[in-house]
Amino acid sequence: GNNVTFSSIPAGTKMIVLGLDAVSSDGSGILIVQLGDSGGLETSGYLSVASRAINANVSYTSGSTAHFSLQNSNDGAGITHSGSVIFTLQDATNHCWTMFGTMSCPASSNRQNTCAGRKELSGELTQLKFFNASGDFSAGSVNISYM
């Protein structure tokens, strides 16, 4: 498949950690996250940027307003990604969440993806969707923890 949705995130959650273990794709699309409340997943209003470093050289940076980008571009079929993305509630009144994360790709020349961003929801966070923008996952696991 191409997505995992974690729903029923409890009221009062202030931090979520999205953990990825050897996640790979079919080679099309980038890894992304959308947040949602009781009205559904939100598809606009994100301030998101992702960069890739290969052997300590930043090769490319990109941004999005439709989702949180975890990568700046596709790393290729079968390339594994392992790491964590942390979402933190910054302002409970405005339902403002910030995020940052790092994923390593050890099989691809010491590659590292980093990401950061901000999103105000229209209500309290209830769901998080992790997915491949235009392809399918081919391996790995993903989970969340929250507090």
Side-chain angles (χ1 to χ4, degrees):
N2 69 352
N3 74 82
V4 178
T5 300
F6 300 96
S7 57
S8 302
I9 295 172
T13 296
K14 294 183 178 12
M15 182 167 51
I16 300 170
V17 179
L18 173 70
L20 291 83
D21 182 28
V23 172
S24 64
S25 74
D26 62 3
S28 59
I30 62 170
L31 305 178
I32 60 179
V33 170
Q34 287 179 330
L35 303 180
D37 53 32
S38 61
L41 293 165
E42 297 197 7
T43 60
S44 63
Y46 293 82
L47 298 174
S48 174
V49 66
S51 299
R52 176 173 41 192
I54 302 173
N55 295 323
N57 295 312
V58 175
S59 63
Y60 185 76
T61 301
S62 68
S64 177
T65 59
H67 50 73
F68 287 128
S69 298
L70 306 188
Q71 300 171 271
N72 65 331
S73 65
N74 185 322
D75 287 315
I79 301 299
T80 63
H81 300 83
S82 297
S84 296
V85 182
I86 299 172
F87 301 86
T88 306
L89 179 62
Q90 293 296 316
D91 182 347
T93 303
N94 295 321
H95 311 290
C96 179
W97 287 81
T98 58
M99 63 80 81
F100 71 93
T102 302
M103 298 181 303
S104 67
C105 307
S108 59
S109 305
N110 299 316
R111 186 175 296 172
Q112 175 181 325
N113 291 294
T114 59
C115 54
R118 175 186 189 280
K119 169 70 174 128
E120 284 188 20
L121 296 171
S122 56
E124 188 166 16
L125 177 73
T126 61
Q127 56 188 315
L128 180 150
K129 180 179 179 182
F130 169 73
F131 59 111
N132 186 322
S134 61
D136 289 327
F137 295 120
S138 57
S141 63
V142 61
N143 209 342
I144 64 169
S145 58
Y146 50 82
M147 57 182 185

